[in-house]
Amino acid sequence: SFLCPAWRCQRAHPQNIAPKMSPPGQDGRYEVVHDRIVLRTGPSTDEKIIQVFKRGDIVHGSPFQVNNLPWLRASDEFLEESKVTIPKDVQGCWMLIDGRSLGLGQLLKRLPPDRPPLTAAAAAPAVSKPAPPDESAAKQDPAEVARPTGVSGEYIVVNTKIVRRKTPAIDGAPLKVHNKGEIFCGVPHMCNNVPWLRVDKGAGWMMIDGESIGLGTLLSPATDIAEDILLWAEEHKKTEGGKSVVWTAQTEGELQQIAAKTHSQVEPLKFWCEHNAVLHRLEHAGFIGSDDFTLGADGVAMKILRFLLRCRAGVLVMAEDPPENPPWGEDDFQAFLRENVEPQAPFRCRVYMPEEQPQRLLVLLHGSMVQGDDLVAEAETLRKLMPETAVALPEAPYVADTTHGLRVWWSLPAVADAGESSSAPQSGSWEAPSKIRQRLAATLAWLTTRVRGVPLVLGGFSQGAMLVTQSLPTLADDVKPIGVLILSGLVSAFELPSGVKCLAIHGDRDERISLEMARGAAAADQMKKAGLDLQVIPELGHEISDGVLDRIVGFCDEVKPVERGVARREDDSWVQEANQAKLLRWVKRISQMITMFDDERFMTHLVVLDMAGLDSTFPTVGNGLVRYALHDAGPDKRGTVVLFHGKVADLQRDTKALVEAYKRLRLSVCVVDYRQKFSQFCVDATIVLEELEAVTGSSSSPVIIHACGCAAIHGIHMAMASQSYPAFLRRRLRLLVLDGGIGNFKSLPPMPTGCIAVDPIGNDKKLKYVGIPLCILGGDDACCGQVHKQTGHFSVLATSAEMLRQDNLLPSVVVSPGTALMTETGDARLNPELYQAATEALDQTRNIASKVTQSFVNDVLSSPDINEAIDPAKYKVNDLIEICKMVASVAQKKQSATHMWELRAMQEPQRGQELYKFILSCCEPAFKKHGGFEPGAQGFQQFEAVAASLSQGSLELAEVRAQLLEAFSLQRLDEQVLQLERDTHSSFGVKLSQCHEVLDNAIEEWNSDTLWAEAFAQVQANGGTPAVARDVFRGLNDTISLSHARRLGFKGTDTEVTQRMDGTFHLWMHCDPSLRAKGGTVQKKAMHFLQRLSDECSSQQAAQAV
């Protein structure tokens, strides 16, 4: 899970941020499909307007992706022909292609090269026309006059025929005539104001546009293979090579696989190609030329992508012979990257730059088996404590656990418990591979260049610290640090360069690397001579605490004193910064504790996992993590509603009515497409709060938070978290609307995630800290809405809010059991209570309640979380693994399996309650044997909290814990049943519940006194002997069986019906052991019935004999 806000990387003032721009796509003609579109001085809606074009106009230019939005850069020819007056110093003119991010829809539509315009207005000749030939240059050599106007690309013949000539002139010597559909590769040129294509490999020239000779367009850019490989292939099927290929139903799928694999292989180059060493390797291999260095990283990566796709798809589509060099095949190219490029490539980094030129650089490497953003919260805190320092976080290159995205620098040996420091390695190596050390050196070289060579402090945590110490001797002089930090990672003596200070920090409760091991390394003569300073922190485990961060700051100040800014000395500002740092670390801790709830089996109750969200044309915040759509209410807007959706299937469709209702109040609406992972809910809410100016389009307008369903977690957290931010931001938040909001964990149906230590939702308790007016609606959310009979959430929130209002902890509370919209009006109008609450909130200036802010800081941010309260350092990972295995073995016993199926058949809430009791009974023996947990429910809560914490650092514990949760999952059983019920051929269309009902009825029938009396009378009437009793019993048994079989819908003869029912019950009994046990009960009851009949007959015969 993403543990903390990495979105702040490389933050700077807006005027200092260069737009993130992709390489240009193929130029072409576009039709204006909106009422009007504006031409601007830059690719931003904030740039000045130069000219307006109307629907049907045809424009020409090259498409770009700028900050994730599609823009068209108008061509010079088009601007000249359209007589556009370009302001001085403007380098290019731009039009937005798609305006959905502004609520406008599509603005420009690309025209196919061989198709007419979409509208009659567009049927007129394009605005951009080639000028007539320049007669003054006619006597010059055409090849010398020609100048390139673009980059190399493929062009397709769209005229019936076209002549390839020796020179770019109409009277040039003809080389060959080519037909429509043929494709050529070359560079476009302009010669005497006529566009020509210089065909690759000196193969001559071809006229692109023949309008000057009355022929119209002759060549058009072919589809970019990197943009649409299927359309590219469709065009190339018409070539001579393409005609020789036999296309099958699998060809399209093969092409898509080629595209996906190639894109994934080239993706790392977008970062690596920023470094000259990598570019030289690519040049040496023949992928690029020296002239390509100027293309930039994205441009180089795009060129290689097109080359690889062309090679790989050309073999499949056009039966081409593959080139011998460079290594274009999937395996060969991957090997080339691994062996030649990766060792020269820096690690991916998150870089936090100060607002001004940094005075020093701190580089921190994370530990093993963590996500790449593991130290983001610590970096944010250090950034606030040292505002003059740039902080960089390299990311380990290898993913050891793809499920959870856990990374390692290299494979370490497996060791025993922390206290057994003498245990020998079992696998892996303590020594970092030379390639990894080389990449760290490349990373430091890149970082120091970026910060203009300021002094470097290099540090690492756990395995990251080991990599630092082993890399020091190989670092060049220009990247050697002035200080080294070893955080919970001192395992052996190392070579410390002369003059470099080193601080090692270790906890006496470290369960991963023992204190004895650290002390042994520090006691070596080599370390004593180098002046290593080992500081031991009491009660510290294998972690970075706030106290460790303070020591890091002190060490940085010691090795490189810096001038503090004024803001650092202002008490209010300092407190504000400290509170924000606490907030980020608190969010990280909470996120770590609840990753278990990211499971799809839990999330499916809260959201629609395959919801149609916002596509890539919409803007993002948080470094691309959260996407949003801003529906602008116009220049007279009164404020903005930040809308967090609930359980909806289509985000835009299902929020449209609410958006329109708010716009009636002149309120813009920002619809947030957050990540559908429970552990990221608070993270994403913090992102939105951090980027409030971006998502609302304003730095000062009022904001209403409207949170639906499970997103009440987002809304409440956003309001709570604002208590850690400056007053001007808090004043913007005017109202919190909980629309069918989730109340707490207990209000949900029991989930397959087991029991929990603390309520991961607890919204009813969190209301104490929101500090703004509150409106609670019953709502119609599919998960928690009052309309869907989910009354528990509304009740618990309303009750809690009313009590807080009476205690003056909430300014005002509006409660309505209805929905946000008035459904009876037939149009989009707000509920009267919501309308009034929103209007009053906008009209009133918010007073900042310092009492609420202080309570939030003291009660939430400054209090120990469940991990600290229980102290996981007291427990050994191996002990927890053993407990999980013991409990799982109990759950797998035959008797336990039968009981689980019995629980599955129960109804809520009894089903959840009985499951809880069963889990506790299975855990009790293991907890008692361990001796470190309280008895009963409290002990299980302790175990869950400790296991959740320590499993972050132990893959084996995480796996056995997941297996344990799976063993107690009733939903797993539900899925098995559903799968069999869908297989109507095997189950004959009979459901498991019907089988249970049949056996329950059979038990009831064999217990019936009425049936026994009737059977006994029949036995008496036929002689009253035990033999007669057995015959009567067999008849009754057959009658009951046939009756149930007919009731289940079986048809046919008695034999056929009986056989089908026997097959059905055999299938379901194999699946459900409780059904098998119930079948045994039926047999016992039937045998008892027969024995009773026989005994009664024997007794009467004996009496008659006497």
Side-chain angles (χ1 to χ4, degrees), residues 986-991 995 1048 1050 1058-1070 1075:
S986 300
S987 64
F988 295 100
V990 177
K991 295 182 179 181
C995 292
L1048 290 174
F1050 292 122
T1058 302
Q1059 289 176 346
R1060 288 171 185 167
M1061 188 170 74
D1062 289 344
T1064 300
F1065 271 86
H1066 178 76
L1067 171 74
W1068 282 117
M1069 284 182 176
H1070 181 74
L1075 184 69

Side-chain angles (χ1 to χ4, degrees), residues 617-675:
T617 61
F618 288 88
T620 63
V621 288
N623 208 17
L625 294 174
V626 178
R627 202 170 293 279
Y628 68 94
L630 180 59
H631 302 270
D632 196 357
D636 298 328
K637 65 180 181 183
R638 303 174 63 189
T640 303
V641 177
V642 175
L643 176 59
F644 293 102
H645 69 83
K647 191 173 185 178
V648 297
D650 188 310
L651 181 56
Q652 295 191 77
R653 181 196 68 197
D654 296 338
T655 58
K656 182 178 180 181
L658 190 56
V659 168
E660 292 301 319
Y662 272 120
K663 288 179 72 174
R664 285 174 176 265
L665 292 181
R666 290 187 288 118
L667 287 170
S668 298
V669 181
C670 172
V671 179
V672 180
D673 188 358
Y674 54 85
R675 290 173 292 171

Side-chain angles (χ1 to χ4, degrees), residues 945-1008:
V946 173
S949 174
L950 295 185
S951 62
Q952 297 293 323
S954 170
L955 180 58
E956 184 180 2
L957 176 58
E959 289 176 348
V960 297
R961 182 164 169 265
Q963 294 169 3
L964 181 61
L965 294 175
E966 184 76 8
F968 290 111
S969 170
L970 293 179
Q971 186 162 349
R972 171 178 57 87
L973 306 186
D974 290 339
E975 291 169 357
Q976 291 180 21
V977 171
L978 183 61
Q979 184 177 0
L980 280 176
E981 288 180 346
R982 287 172 178 168
D983 183 7
T984 55
H985 176 75
S986 300
S987 64
F988 295 100
V990 177
K991 295 182 179 181
L992 176 61
S993 59
Q994 292 177 292
C995 292
H996 275 284
E997 183 179 352
V998 164
L999 295 186
D1000 288 337
N1001 289 337
I1003 292 173
E1004 184 178 344
E1005 286 176 311
W1006 288 119
N1007 279 337
S1008 170

Side-chain angles (χ1 to χ4, degrees), residues 802-959:
E802 184 58 33
M803 293 175 63
L804 292 171
R805 188 194 65 79
Q806 294 177 7
D807 294 339
N808 294 321
L809 293 177
L810 280 174
S812 64
V813 176
V814 174
V815 176
S816 171
T819 58
L821 298 175
M822 297 174 59
T823 54
E824 64 273 9
T825 61
D827 56 4
R829 296 189 184 184
L830 294 181
N831 171 317
E833 290 88 349
L834 175 57
Y835 176 89
Q836 182 178 356
T839 304
E840 291 178 354
L842 294 172
D843 291 341
Q844 296 176 3
T845 302
R846 180 187 165 192
N847 295 320
I848 302 300
S850 58
K851 180 180 178 182
V852 173
T853 299
Q854 198 58 47
S855 295
F856 175 69
V857 173
N858 294 338
D859 298 351
V860 180
L861 300 187
S862 299
S863 64
D865 63 12
I866 187 66
N867 290 348
E868 295 169 344
I870 293 179
D871 190 5
K874 295 179 180 179
Y875 301 88
K876 293 182 178 181
V877 171
N878 286 350
D879 288 348
L880 297 181
I881 292 174
E882 186 62 27
I883 290 175
C884 289
K885 290 181 177 179
M886 285 182 62
V887 177
S889 67
V890 174
Q892 291 167 0
K893 290 182 179 180
K894 180 179 179 180
Q895 184 178 358
S896 298
T898 301
H899 188 56
M900 285 290 294
W901 281 93
E902 291 172 348
L903 295 177
R904 181 203 161 270
M906 295 180 181
Q907 299 296 317
E908 299 294 354
Q910 183 187 12
R911 170 168 141 156
Q913 295 169 351
E914 293 301 320
L915 174 63
Y916 184 32
K917 294 177 183 178
F918 178 59
I919 293 174
L920 293 181
S921 66
C922 292
C923 292
E924 187 175 356
F927 291 167
K928 188 174 182 179
K929 180 179 178 181
H930 180 271
F933 297 100
E934 298 291 331
Q938 185 178 356
F940 186 81
Q941 292 174 350
Q942 290 176 332
F943 170 75
E944 272 287 282
V946 173
S949 174
L950 295 185
S951 62
Q952 297 293 323
S954 170
L955 180 58
E956 184 180 2
L957 176 58
E959 289 176 348

Side-chain angles (χ1 to χ4, degrees), residues 229-385:
I229 194 172
L230 294 181
L231 186 56
W232 175 90
E234 189 67 30
E235 293 175 349
H236 284 70
K237 281 171 61 177
K238 305 170 186 175
T239 63
E240 290 300 321
K243 292 177 182 177
S244 65
V245 176
V246 178
W247 280 60
T248 67
Q250 288 76 36
T251 305
E252 181 175 321
E254 292 174 355
L255 282 169
Q256 291 175 325
Q257 291 177 5
I258 287 174
K261 179 67 174 181
T262 308
H263 275 84
S264 66
Q265 286 185 325
V266 174
E267 183 64 27
L269 288 174
K270 294 180 180 179
F271 171 70
W272 293 347
C273 287
E274 295 180 6
H275 313 286
N276 286 332
V278 172
L279 294 176
H280 286 300
R281 290 281 180 170
L282 294 171
E283 180 191 16
H284 180 73
F287 283 105
I288 61 173
S290 57
D291 294 341
D292 294 327
F293 282 37
T294 59
L295 292 176
D298 286 346
V300 171
M302 184 59 70
K303 178 173 182 176
I304 295 175
L305 174 65
R306 292 191 178 107
F307 168 76
L308 294 175
L309 287 172
R310 186 67 180 78
C311 291
R312 297 171 182 179
V315 173
L316 177 67
V317 179
M318 299 174 63
E320 295 177 336
D321 294 328
E324 294 183 3
N325 286 303
W328 60 274
E330 291 181 358
D331 294 339
D332 292 339
F333 181 71
Q334 197 65 46
F336 166 76
L337 292 180
R338 183 173 58 253
E339 297 168 7
N340 295 274
V341 177
E342 282 188 18
Q344 308 296 325
F347 300 122
R348 288 186 176 274
C349 291
R350 291 175 171 81
V351 183
Y352 299 79
M353 295 291 288
E355 295 181 356
E356 300 177 356
Q357 171 63 22
Q359 299 181 44
R360 63 190 174 198
L361 169 65
L362 172 62
V363 179
L364 288 176
L365 279 64
H366 62 70
S368 65
M369 294 305 295
V370 296
Q371 292 189 331
D373 54 13
D374 184 60
L375 295 182
V376 166
E378 288 75 11
E380 279 290 340
T381 304
L382 292 169
R383 186 181 70 87
K384 295 178 181 301
L385 299 175

Side-chain angles (χ1 to χ4, degrees), residues 716 720 736 738 762-774 776 795-815 849 851-852 855 859:
I716 292 176
M720 285 173 54
L736 172 60
L738 301 180
N763 283 341
D764 53 333
K765 306 298 182 185
K766 296 176 184 176
L767 293 179
K768 175 181 178 181
Y769 306 107
V770 299
I772 60 176
L774 185 62
I776 300 177
S795 174
V796 72
L797 288 175
T799 302
S800 178
E802 184 58 33
M803 293 175 63
L804 292 171
R805 188 194 65 79
Q806 294 177 7
D807 294 339
N808 294 321
L809 293 177
L810 280 174
S812 64
V813 176
V814 174
V815 176
K851 180 180 178 182
V852 173
S855 295
D859 298 351

Side-chain angles (χ1 to χ4, degrees), residues 499-570:
V500 177
K501 294 185 177 181
C502 181
L503 170 64
I505 300 175
H506 215 91
D508 65 356
R509 307 295 291 275
D510 194 322
E511 74 283 358
R512 300 286 297 281
I513 300 175
S514 70
L515 179 57
E516 289 74 18
M517 180 180 287
R519 282 176 169 161
D525 292 339
Q526 182 182 1
M527 294 288 89
K528 290 180 179 179
K529 292 178 182 178
L532 172 73
D533 179 15
L534 173 61
Q535 297 183 7
V536 179
I537 299 182
E539 303 299 321
L540 180 71
H542 196 72
E543 59 185 323
I544 298 177
S545 65
D546 291 339
V548 173
L549 294 179
D550 290 336
R551 298 192 187 209
I552 292 175
V553 174
F555 179 74
C556 291
D557 287 343
E558 178 186 347
V559 298
K560 174 55 181 173
V562 295
E563 296 181 3
R564 299 295 187 196
V566 175
R568 175 70 185 270
R569 296 192 297 267
E570 294 177 354

